Amino acid sequence: MGDVDKSAIERAWDGVVATARRTAADGLVVGTSGNVSARVGDIVLVTPSGVPYERLGPGDAVGVDLEGRQVLGGLVPTSELPLHLAVYRGSDAAAVVHTHAVHATAVSTLVPEVPLIHYAAALLGGPVRTAAYARYGTPELADNMLAALRDRTGCLLRNHGTVTYGDTLDEAYDRTAQLEWMCRLWLTASSVPGHSPSLLTPAQLDDVQDALKGYGQRG
């Protein structure tokens, strides 16, 4: 593991497992679907393939390098590893969350871009795109995802689910939760007979993005 601090690896793995369990508890995945990863230096810690999250412990850490070569652990990494590695190679992400959230996946089958139903889209960098379909675990899916993620921190995967990333696991998870909520909101508003939901204009979203630059605590 080179110069990477062992305790940093352990803390990151604990965070990966806790976040994966959170996706299940919050109904964003079913069973072992979806996956979570975090980057520590040149090592990517990622949930393993087909292992229930509640069974994962401190000694089950799975780590690969940025080329996908396993450098830590005996469990097989998630089949979605190419997707995670593509995000890390193409951005400064420190964490990636992939889910099969119901409302977001439903929206992925309907539109090429999530309609601007709410200013939460600004938290993901702008209107959220839907990546073209490709089979899970393939380089094609990773390429399609990267196109949809251009200037964004999250996207939908057509007939599949969501991908978000962030500077921390909490940030990546929050973006997933916001995306799922926004898709649920649009589906709810769109389901009222005889009505079409009002949408924000690009200029209104730009105004929100400018306002968000000063949002939060100053320390």
Side-chain angles (χ1 to χ4, degrees):
M1 292 187 288
D3 298 327
V4 176
D5 183 356
K6 184 179 179 182
S7 64
I9 293 284
E10 292 172 348
R11 287 193 302 273
W13 175 249
D14 287 346
V16 165
V17 172
T19 302
R21 289 174 178 167
R22 192 177 175 190
T23 64
D26 290 352
L28 300 175
V29 300
V30 175
T32 60
S33 65
N35 25 77
V36 175
S37 68
R39 180 176 177 176
V40 180
D42 291 331
I43 294 177
V44 174
L45 297 166
V46 64
T47 47
S49 178
V51 179
Y53 299 140
E54 65 271 15
R55 294 185 190 172
L56 294 175
D60 296 321
V62 176
V64 301
D65 64 18
L66 292 173
E67 301 305 315
R69 293 181 289 261
Q70 190 156 353
V71 296
L72 180 64
L75 296 173
V76 176
T78 173
S79 58
E80 295 286 18
L81 185 60
L83 180 152
H84 289 259
L85 294 179
V87 174
Y88 292 116
R89 288 196 292 258
S91 73
D92 58 357
V96 176
V97 174
H98 165 52
T99 79
H100 294 174
V102 172
H103 300 91
T105 304
V107 171
S108 81
T109 71
L110 298 171
V111 292
E113 184 177 275
V114 180
L116 286 177
I117 190 74
H118 195 273
Y119 61 78
L123 300 173
L124 293 135
V128 176
R129 306 181 188 100
T130 301
Y133 179 81
R135 183 177 63 79
Y136 76 91
T138 60
E140 289 78 13
L141 177 59
D143 289 343
N144 295 349
M145 174 201 66
L146 286 179
L149 281 176
R150 189 181 70 255
D151 302 319
R152 302 287 185 270
T153 54
C155 73
L156 302 181
L157 305 176
R158 188 174 302 283
N159 295 87
H160 185 159
T162 68
V163 176
T164 62
Y165 69 87
D167 294 334
T168 64
L169 282 161
D170 283 345
E171 185 174 60
Y173 180 86
D174 185 60
R175 286 170 173 163
T176 296
Q178 292 284 357
L179 178 53
E180 167 67 354
W181 177 84
M182 193 163 49
C183 288
R184 184 179 182 184
L185 176 64
W186 180 70
L187 288 170
T188 301
S190 298
S191 69
V192 180
H195 294 271
S196 296
S198 63
L199 301 175
L200 300 178
T201 66
Q204 287 171 325
L205 189 67
D206 288 343
D207 184 47
V208 172
Q209 288 177 311
D210 289 340
L212 283 173
K213 292 174 184 176
Y215 179 77
Q217 302 296 317
R218 293 168 177 80

